Amino acid sequence: MKFRSVFDIIGPVMIGPSSSHTAGAARIGRVARNLFDREPKWAHISFYGSFAKTYKGHGTDVAIVGGLLDFDTFDERIKESLEIARKKKMKITFREEEAVPEHPNTAKILVGDDDGELELVGISIGGGKIEIVELNGFKLRLSGHNPAILVVHDDRFGAIASVSNILAKHQINIGQMEVSRKGKGKMALMTIEVDQNLEDRVIDEIAALPDITQVARIVD
Amino acid sequence: MFRNVAELIELAEAKQKRISTLMIEQEMEVTGRSREQIIHQMGVNLDVMEQAVEKGLQGVQSVSGLTGGDAVLLQNYIKSGNFLSGELLLDAVSKAVATNEVNAAMGTICATPTAGSAGVVPGTLFALQNKLKPNREQKIAFLFTAGAFGFVVANNASISGAAGGCQAEVGSAAGMAAAAIVEMAGGTPAQSAEAMAITLKNMLGLVCDPVAGLVEVPCVKRNAMGAANAMVAADMALAGITSRIPCDEVIDAMYKIGQTMPSALRETAQGGLAATPTGRELEAKIFGLPLNKK
């Protein structure tokens, strides 16, 4: 089941006009921001499908930048996000892509600063709910049924064991787990679906481990 | 966990519980949160809905200028006393319009189930205020019941206009509202399911063809008709009328119709009203050039 909570249906509280094009877009932007773990200096945003066709009128551009600024779906500052980004000297570009995506509402965000870059592809599946389908070129196969975390790490001995140890310590059951890497010893990604929502302190504990670069929640 | 309407009704009848109660219990089970937390959060959503209706009834205008002010016109018309259909019905319609005008104007709303269809559930709920005199707890229950039916639609079909046309948005919202109205009016869970089926049947095939790609035309007026449809279907179900096609099969038909719909009619602004000469003219006026010619 893609939708698990009644608040996926009655909610979110948000700034109009479109839950897919504004609330969902804001959430995709915010996941990028959370995974990047800091405010990016620049962002290249590509819109596909319905996003590409209608983003201007829906304020999808405004919403996605609001997410990059760490605004929630109901944050009234979303309306002024482009102006706020400009004042912060965040450089933003938008592209309308011709490619036909698998899902009609797809956005690709590449963010970065002097210290690094991150690229993700998100889809907005309706009612403000989103899925992240690609991260730094890694295809994600999240079922979307359960809360999940993404852990970007260096491919080293024991990195996976140390993360699962922390989850075990907090009595958190792993439902599904996938590990992939760019190459031996290079950047790697753990996608972990768990049975219950993770508290901040668990996330912080994982993030503090050696060889772990970023940790982010995907489904609330 | 209930997966479809049949299971939901069976559960309600077996346990002798209201649908709203079952939805709250499932939410507790899935999220591990307490009853109080869950009810509190729904209360916050209720407050947002009420504020949006109030704001819309004072009169708002969207940035594009395409929508705004119609909720006020309807309220004035009701006050004149010279209306033809029922007062409660028109009140529901005006409050649905009010919410969606606020949405189009980039105001704060609660997506129910989406932003484009956010007017129907609150429109009918607040219109019933004088007639049924619900307390806060009952209003919150209304939202949980609507949510339970929306939950089934979202998981078995779609609530996205881009995926399934407007039948998936305003259609789902209207069905959800109809089911909730029935419960608030004292109907049985089975009657809620009938109301949902009757409503959704009459929204099937509804295309998503927003002029200039904006959630304004025809969205605001479709919320109005969604609210009216829900009120009438709820009355029909309360009168004992049943749907010959079971609710789950209607939801399934909605899903398949959505998949069969060409993409031009699924929120791309390439067909339907968006592609009419006036639709194209408005689009050019707002964006300089029609979206399909850029």
Side-chain angles (χ1 to χ4, degrees), chain A residues 1-7 9-19 21 50 53 57-58 76 79 105 125 127, chain B residues 3 23 27 30 38 41 45 103 106-109 111 113-115 143 151 154-155 213-215 267 270 287 291:
Chain A
M1 290 202 163
K2 282 187 182 294
F3 294 81
R4 290 171 54 81
S5 166
V6 69
F7 297 108
I9 311 298
I10 313 289
V13 173
M14 58 169 283
I15 306 293
S18 162
S19 42
H21 292 74
S50 167
K53 295 271 187 310
H58 282 124
E76 297 212 353
K79 282 184 264 186
N105 294 323
I125 64 169
Chain B
R3 281 166 301 177
M23 188 70 246
E27 188 72 14
V30 167
I38 291 163
Q41 188 177 345
N45 290 353
N103 179 59
M106 282 187 94
T108 306
I109 52 99
T114 66
L143 298 181
F151 180 84
N155 280 312
L214 303 173
V215 189
E267 214 180 334
Q270 288 172 327
F287 293 115
L291 293 166

Side-chain angles (χ1 to χ4, degrees), chain B residues 13-60:
Chain B
E13 286 173 353
K15 294 191 172 179
Q16 292 286 303
K17 283 181 179 171
R18 296 159 74 90
I19 286 162
S20 45
T21 311
L22 292 174
M23 188 70 246
I24 295 168
E25 286 173 358
Q26 175 169 305
E27 188 72 14
M28 289 165 65
E29 195 184 310
V30 167
T31 62
R33 294 161 74 209
S34 72
R35 185 181 299 270
E36 290 68 34
Q37 282 175 315
I38 291 163
I39 287 174
H40 172 77
Q41 188 177 345
M42 196 58 94
V44 170
N45 290 353
L46 176 70
D47 294 340
V48 168
M49 290 177 189
E50 191 159 19
Q51 284 154 16
V53 168
E54 278 168 15
K55 194 171 173 192
L57 290 182
Q58 284 162 20
V60 289

